[in-house]
């Protein structure tokens, strides 16, 4: 149930994608997310698929492992596709099911929204799978550092975001242990309707929240005992330096964006 969640997990490696500067990877991910919403034709998604396939191949991460991260959100994907398919008017009516109608516009929008969600999940998963938590913290902090002049706590925000991502695998592992312990005592999490399954999760959520608060308190005590005082006057053993490969990766991403924009303009 929880083993398929890949967001927040990091797979060590020595590929080119792993060695990219975290700032560049964050910027590339943001550009990719924005570019996805510019696509309005299937040919545009072909460019995005080719780009993702290229990144996955270079990163040497198994494609099956990345696709496994789509299983926890399959219900959200089906719900999004169904709502857009049955409640989007316009176009030719293809099928009628009582008051519900499937039109060409609804079917087109449903396919596009489903593909957007899939690409968003895969793109963000690649960022966390190929970037260590420490590098991700440094990258976010450097990007937010210009906003510190107007009072934005860049280091604190970066630390909170990274800790949140870092604790996702830990909480998943804790949930698995609690679930197995409850099932050994006769708890049932898989049978029955949605309401019954939701009620069955109560014995899981209560100890999971208690464990999360306990871990947060232990982390706060550990940071305080090490005299952690935020980002002021802190030094780093490894300084971030942009290499030529970072510019090459950014150039490839911009080429993909230009192809998507050209495809959209050409459609107009």
């Amino acid at each position: 149930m929880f083993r398929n969640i890949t967001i927040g997990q990091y797979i060590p490696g020595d590929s080119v994608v792993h060695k990219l500067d975290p700032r560049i990877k964050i910027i590339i991910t943001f550009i990719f997310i924005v570019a996805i919403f510019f696509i309005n034709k299937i040919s545009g998604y072909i460019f995005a698929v080719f780009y993702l396939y290229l990144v996955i191949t270079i990163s040497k991460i198994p494609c099956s492992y990345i696709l496994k991260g789509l299983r926890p959100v399959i219900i959200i994907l089906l719900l999004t596709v169904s709502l857009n398919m049955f409640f989007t008017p316009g176009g030719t009516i293809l099928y009628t099911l009582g008051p519900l109608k499937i039109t060409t516009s609804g079917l087109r929008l449903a396919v596009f929204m489903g593909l957007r969600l899939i690409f968003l999940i895969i793109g963000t998963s690649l960022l966390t799978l190929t970037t260590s938590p420490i590098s991700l913290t440094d990258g976010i902090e450097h990007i937010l550092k210009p906003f510190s002049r107007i009072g934005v706590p860049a280091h604190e925000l970066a630390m909170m975001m990274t800790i949140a991502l870092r604790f996702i695998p830990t909480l998943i592992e804790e949930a698995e242990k609690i679930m197995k312990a409850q099932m050994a005592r006769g708890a049932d999490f898989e049978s029955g309707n949605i309401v019954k399954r939701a009620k069955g999760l109560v014995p899981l959520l209560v100890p999971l929240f208690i464990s999360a608060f306990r871990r947060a308190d232990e982390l706060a005590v550990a940071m305080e005992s090490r005299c952690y005082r935020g980002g002021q006057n802190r030094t780093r053993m490894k300084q971030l330096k942009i290499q030529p490969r970072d510019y090459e990766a950014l150039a490839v991403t911009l080429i993909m964006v230009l192809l998507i924009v050209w495809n959209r303009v050409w459609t107009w």
Side-chain angles (χ1 to χ4, degrees), residues 13-14 29 65 68 73 75-76 86 95-96 98 104 124-125 141 150 163 176 180-181 192 213 215 226 240 250:
D14 58 349
T29 303
Y65 185 83
K68 186 177 66 173
V73 296
I75 297 178
I76 299 177
F86 290 108
Y95 183 76
T96 303
T104 53
T124 52
S125 297
E141 182 180 355
I150 58 176
I163 289 176
E176 288 283 350
K180 291 179 181 178
F213 285 122
R215 289 182 179 275
R226 289 166 174 80
L240 296 180
L250 185 59

Side-chain angles (χ1 to χ4, degrees), residues 11 20 31 63 74 76 83 94 110 126 137 141 158 161 170 176 194-196 215 222 233 266 268:
I11 300 179
L20 289 177
I31 293 174
C63 186
I74 190 67
I76 299 177
L83 291 176
L94 301 177
L126 282 172
T137 303
E141 182 180 355
M161 295 171 63
T170 304
E176 288 283 350
I194 298 178
V195 177
K196 186 177 180 181
R215 289 182 179 275
N233 300 323
W266 180 77
W268 290 345

Side-chain angles (χ1 to χ4, degrees), residues 85-105:
M85 183 183 300
F86 290 108
F87 295 99
T88 301
T92 306
I93 298 177
L94 301 177
Y95 183 76
T96 303
L97 182 61
L100 302 177
K101 297 179 181 180
I102 300 178
T103 62
T104 53
S105 298

Side-chain angles (χ1 to χ4, degrees), residues 30-43:
F30 179 77
I31 293 174
F32 177 76
I33 292 174
V34 174
I36 290 300
F37 288 93
F38 275 89
I39 300 176
N40 64 344
K41 286 184 65 178
I42 294 295
S43 56

Side-chain angles (χ1 to χ4, degrees), residues 111-179:
V111 173
F112 282 10
M113 291 301 296
L115 290 175
R116 283 175 183 174
L117 286 176
I118 292 174
F119 289 164
L120 288 177
I121 295 171
I122 294 177
T124 52
S125 297
L126 282 172
L127 174 63
T128 57
L129 289 173
T130 59
T131 311
S132 64
I134 297 177
S135 299
L136 194 60
T137 303
D138 294 341
I140 296 174
E141 182 180 355
H142 276 80
I143 292 176
L144 296 178
K145 195 171 183 179
F147 297 98
S148 60
R149 299 178 181 177
I150 58 176
V152 177
H155 178 79
E156 286 74 10
L157 286 176
M159 181 64 69
M160 287 189 296
M161 295 171 63
T162 308
I163 289 176
L165 289 173
R166 170 62 184 84
F167 269 84
I168 290 177
T170 304
L171 292 178
I172 292 173
E173 183 180 356
E174 190 74 20
E176 288 283 350
K177 293 180 181 179
I178 297 173
M179 179 177 289

